[in-house]
Amino acid sequence: MGFNASLAFGAYLVFAAVFLFVIMFGESEMFQGTIVERIHYWTTEGWCVALGWGLRKTLGKEKGERVFGVINHWVCERANPFMQLVYLSLVIGGYYVFVAYGFDLIGLYVHPAHAFVLPTVMILSLMQWLRVCWSDPGVINASNLEAHYRAHPFDGVLYRPKECPTLGITVPARSKFCNTTKRRVAKFDHYCGWFNNVIGENNLRHFIVFLAVHVALCAYVAYLSTAVVYGEMARRGLLAVEFNTRRGPRRLTEDWLLLSKFLVYHYAPLVMLDIFLVVLVIALGSFLVYHLHLINKGMTTNETFKWKYVRKYMQKQAEEAAAEAASQNTAGKIQAQRNEGLDVLDEADVGCVGPTGGEAAVVAKTVKTHRSFWDRLTGRRKPKARAEEMKNIYNKGFRKNLWEVFHPPSQAVAQEMQEMGSMTSANAGGSKHKKQKDR
């Protein structure tokens, strides 16, 4: 691979890493009002809006609306494998780069066993990805509805008894109807395009394992790539060679700029792969820590935004009360607005770190914080009035929360109900047999 081709491929890997970071974290509250949020919007929803505008301008309003309606239905509103194909291209592409430029050097600079470990870890990672793709997230149906009612009681804050307009059933607490897959999922976390599947009660454990495995895979391949490049340079004696520069003779170990240029010129594929993998370790590692934090709090991604929404409304009510501007009627009005907003959020799509697009964005703006990115990052400029603390009844402590992730409570309840049903049937059969015997 020539120098220009290596730079082009390296630029692609760096771009892919930045793209992944924006897709994963661009919709979080941390980046509200920043360029990260705007890039996320245009790469996920904005391009679809722009396409509709362009079609109406070029084809006319009526024909453009028809064409856009078909594209929007099949590409923007339905589950599709686009992000899955992106995942496969990144994983297989990265593996190919290492095999093409570093695999033959494994025995020279690291233990030969890595030549067998690497393909094994790669296959296990792909198998875990497929497991999440094909897993049941916890779809609610008539056969398991009662178990979900018993496993997840209503808290009266985020969840209260109401009817699902699509399925016509009383909505179990912590569940949500996914607009993309057209299914109601128990303990809904978020819809993830990387798997073309919902993350919910039954497959959250597979998702957590997927993140942990891929963080380990990226760190492992980055280690092998770095070891190969360092070993090759040491074997050739390049670390001790002096180069003539404008500042006089300099060694690579003494001049980081010179070392960077040398690495990019002579080892571009492996160096760019290293950068790509380090970014992925940081991004996926942060996402894993974020989900462990949610487990510690007894929340899902969907519920974090709901809690933020509720607390901001409580804060609004507290600030009005502190200013002696809140009467009993005003407090009741704020409560009604809060419940109405929660109903809107129930219908919104939920991405990696919160609701996306449509009415959810409108609701979010009603309680949007007016703090800068730096203030949100550092926690400065906290409000003076203190809102009432709302208890999360689903938080049972980290150990029990983690246990429920790997042992879904609705499945345990369903098993208990099945066992009780079997015992009842057996007792009924025994009583009937006894009566017949007495006769």
Side-chain angles (χ1 to χ4, degrees), residues 293-324:
H293 169 71
L294 293 184
I295 292 172
N296 183 53
K297 295 291 186 181
M299 298 181 188
T300 63
T301 302
N302 179 44
E303 289 170 351
T304 56
F305 199 84
K306 285 174 170 285
W307 275 113
K308 288 178 184 177
Y309 183 83
V310 168
R311 284 168 180 151
K312 286 175 183 176
Y313 253 112
M314 295 297 293
Q315 183 63 43
K316 178 181 178 182
Q317 186 172 344
E319 288 174 355
E320 290 195 6
E324 299 182 351

Side-chain angles (χ1 to χ4, degrees), residues 341 344-345 347-348 356-365:
V344 173
L345 289 177
E347 303 302 321
T356 59
E359 294 182 77
V362 177
V363 172
K365 288 179 181 178

Side-chain angles (χ1 to χ4, degrees), residues 159-304:
Y159 303 103
R160 61 195 188 283
K162 66 174 185 177
E163 185 176 292
C164 174
T166 305
L167 302 179
I169 61 172
T170 300
V171 176
R174 311 196 79 179
S175 70
K176 178 175 171 59
F177 186 82
C178 178
N179 295 317
T180 305
T181 59
K182 310 302 180 187
R183 300 179 296 180
R184 178 162 286 279
V185 176
K187 199 178 176 182
F188 182 98
D189 193 272
H190 69 283
Y191 171 79
C192 187
W194 300 108
F195 311 105
N196 199 17
N197 197 7
V198 176
I199 304 302
E201 181 181 38
N202 285 1
N203 64 355
L204 179 59
R205 59 189 186 274
H206 303 320
F207 177 68
I208 296 296
V209 173
F210 165 85
L211 290 176
V213 168
H214 278 67
V215 169
L217 172 66
C218 292
Y220 175 56
V221 179
Y223 157 73
L224 291 180
S225 180
T226 302
V228 165
V229 172
Y230 179 83
E232 185 71 4
M233 292 180 66
R235 184 180 69 86
R236 294 170 180 259
L238 296 173
L239 297 176
V241 173
E242 290 188 345
F243 293 82
N244 291 323
T245 66
R246 294 179 180 179
R247 292 174 290 178
R250 305 279 288 184
R251 291 183 180 180
L252 291 177
T253 54
E254 299 173 343
D255 192 326
W256 288 102
L257 179 60
L258 180 62
L259 177 62
S260 302
K261 291 180 179 179
F262 184 88
L263 289 174
V264 170
Y265 189 87
H266 293 281
Y267 301 98
L270 291 178
V271 170
M272 293 302 178
L273 178 63
D274 252 350
I275 296 173
F276 173 68
L277 291 173
V278 168
V279 173
L280 280 186
V281 168
I282 295 172
L284 293 176
S286 300
F287 205 46
L288 175 61
V289 171
Y290 171 70
H291 273 277
L292 292 175
H293 169 71
L294 293 184
I295 292 172
N296 183 53
K297 295 291 186 181
M299 298 181 188
T300 63
T301 302
N302 179 44
E303 289 170 351
T304 56

Side-chain angles (χ1 to χ4, degrees), residues 104 126 194 230 301 333 360 374 402:
D104 293 339
L126 288 172
W194 300 108
Y230 179 83
T301 302
K333 184 179 179 182
W374 178 252
L402 187 63

